[in-house]
Structures are given as C-alpha cells and as structure tokens.
Amino acid sequence: MLREAKKIRIGVCVMEKKVSSAPMGQILNRLQAFGEFEFIFFGDKVILEDPIGSWPICDCLIAFYSSGYPLQKVQAYAALRRPFLVNELEPQHLLHDRRKVYEYLKPAKEHKALEVRKDLRLEMYGIPVPRYALVNREVPYQDLDYFVEEEDFVEVHGNRFWKPFVEKPIHADDHSIMIYYPSSAGGGMKELFRKVGNRSSEFHPDVRRVRREGSYIYEEFMPTGGTDVKVVYFSSKLYN
C-alpha cells in the first residue's frame, strides 16, 4: 500500500480578524483546493502572548502586518524556525509610513530628486500611478513656505494639484483619507475610513480647506465611478 504523501504545513500567522475576512478566505480556499497543504492557525493568543519557542512549527509561513501585530516578534520566530516565507517580513516595516512606501517604489536614481514625480518603477509594469507630493510638518499647523492653498488647488514646491485631489496621512494606520472637490462641483470633502456597518465614507459639504495638523501626501484623484477598488496580488507561481 502506498503511503500518503506528507502535506506541506502552512502557518497562518495573522490576526484573527484578518483570518476571518473574505479576501483571506479566498486565499486559503484556493490553496486548499490543491490538496497538498495543511493549515496551522496561530491565533491571537499565541501571536500576542506566547513565547516564540512554543509557537507551532511549519514549513511555510503566511504573516502580514495589521494594527496591533507584533512584527518584530514574528521576525524572531522566522529567524528561529526558518520556514519558507510566502511574503517577506522586513519590508513590511515600510508599510507603517506611506512616505517610505512611495520612496521605496521609486527607481534608485530618482530617490534624491524632486519631491513631486510619477512613480516610474510601477509604471514599468503597466500600473498607472497618480502624481503626488509630500508635505512634511515637524509640529502641528507649521507654516511651510513651499505649501500654498487656494480655493481650488494646493501647490507643493511649485507643483499644483487641482481639485479633486486626495489627501492621505503619512501614517498608514491612519485610514482617514480625504477627497476635496472643486467649487465648480459644489465643493466639499469626502472622508474615507474603515468600514463601519455598511458605510466607509462620509461627505462634508462645508469642508473646503485641507488639514494642517500633521504631515500628508497629496495626489491626483483617480476616478472610479464610485467603486471601492482593492487589489491583492499573487505570484503566478501560486497557480502553476
């Protein structure tokens, strides 16, 4: 009698709220369909409370950052057990700061160039990237000589962004993203946030001025016809 082939153990080291999400369910279901994998779910208690020496041993590790996730602890586990990493851990530190994400995606020769540019590295792969600019403040409401705001545009280092434009906090855990509309469309601002019930945005008709209490990224608005677009990428090798 032939012995059944040993299954590859995939450790799912993510917060429980992410494991139960619909996108994660799709990922796991597609992997399960191959019949070659066994899933080991770590769970919040193990990830947050238990020492890494007692964590389950696996062949492959799925691990990604979300709010409250101890990324350095997971890195220590990966260094100890050396599983195959489905997604790298070290670059995930970049995800905490949107400025670092934008900087990382630039070609090396562009890193020290002007603060306003198109992202050429993504465009090499046919991914359209809006023009963007960084406004960095050391203290809240700091006046900056390179930042100008008028009724229908902001200007950063002489580069003008006409409304509608998008304003993002530099801290990636802050999901309060604003879209400012031109006076010709009635003005106002739409705030985007993590979904609460069946809502993920709120329109504020009387808000016309941008925020100044922190550092922000400004970029051109990409119209989607009101559709909320989220993209998840997998290597083609996953399906071979």
Side-chain angles (χ1 to χ4, degrees), residues 144-164:
L144 302 170
D145 57 9
Y146 63 82
F147 180 76
V148 177
E149 180 180 14
E150 297 293 344
E151 182 178 15
D152 278 332
F153 67 83
V154 294
E155 195 170 284
V156 183
H157 293 291
N159 293 273
R160 189 166 295 183
F161 291 79
W162 291 93
K163 293 180 179 179

Side-chain angles (χ1 to χ4, degrees), residues 3-214:
R3 178 180 297 179
E4 183 179 355
K6 182 181 178 181
K7 292 187 176 182
I8 298 172
R9 298 166 298 177
I10 299 181
V12 182
C13 184
V14 301
M15 304 298 280
E16 291 174 1
K17 63 182 179 181
K18 293 295 184 182
V19 174
S20 60
S21 67
M24 193 66 184
Q26 288 290 327
I27 295 171
L28 299 180
N29 288 340
R30 289 171 184 267
L31 288 171
Q32 189 72 56
F34 286 96
E36 301 173 1
F37 306 110
E38 172 190 350
F39 295 109
I40 302 174
F41 297 95
F42 285 37
D44 287 1
K45 182 183 180 302
V46 169
I47 295 172
L48 299 175
E49 301 177 14
D50 293 356
I52 60 172
S54 66
W55 285 16
I57 296 176
C58 56
D59 303 305
C60 306
L61 186 69
I62 296 176
F64 55 82
Y65 176 82
S66 60
S67 298
Y69 189 75
L71 183 56
Q72 289 184 326
K73 185 177 181 181
V74 178
Q75 286 181 280
Y77 166 79
L80 175 66
R81 300 302 186 190
R82 306 193 66 81
F84 174 81
L85 299 178
V86 175
N87 46 331
E88 295 183 66
L89 298 176
E90 181 62 34
Q92 293 188 41
H93 287 286
L94 296 172
L95 301 180
H96 299 185
D97 189 326
R98 290 188 172 98
R99 292 171 300 184
K100 293 180 180 178
V101 173
Y102 279 71
E103 187 71 18
Y104 177 79
L105 292 173
K106 298 170 193 170
K109 66 180 181 180
E110 297 286 340
H111 278 188
K112 300 302 181 183
L114 294 175
E115 291 221 14
V116 179
R117 59 178 66 76
K118 301 280 280 186
D119 191 323
L120 302 179
R121 180 172 293 176
L122 289 183
E123 289 190 337
M124 287 193 302
Y125 297 97
I127 302 173
V129 178
R131 189 169 58 98
Y132 64 90
L134 308 178
V135 175
N136 294 305
R137 291 185 176 88
E138 295 181 2
V139 296
Y141 304 101
Q142 178 184 9
D143 288 329
L144 302 170
D145 57 9
Y146 63 82
F147 180 76
V148 177
E149 180 180 14
E150 297 293 344
E151 182 178 15
D152 278 332
F153 67 83
V154 294
E155 195 170 284
V156 183
H157 293 291
N159 293 273
R160 189 166 295 183
F161 291 79
W162 291 93
K163 293 180 179 179
F165 58 72
V166 180
E167 176 189 71
K168 299 177 179 179
I170 62 168
H171 299 296
D173 286 337
D174 185 346
H175 297 278
S176 181
I177 296 174
M178 313 299 194
I179 303 173
Y180 295 89
Y181 295 96
S183 56
S184 61
M189 177 271 290
K190 179 180 288 186
E191 180 181 6
L192 310 180
F193 45 79
R194 281 284 181 87
K195 182 173 288 188
V196 179
N198 61 352
R199 296 174 58 250
S200 58
S201 66
E202 183 176 359
F203 184 67
H204 302 272
D206 298 325
V207 176
R208 300 171 185 270
R209 306 286 290 181
V210 301
R211 292 174 288 182
R212 296 172 181 266
E213 60 267 31

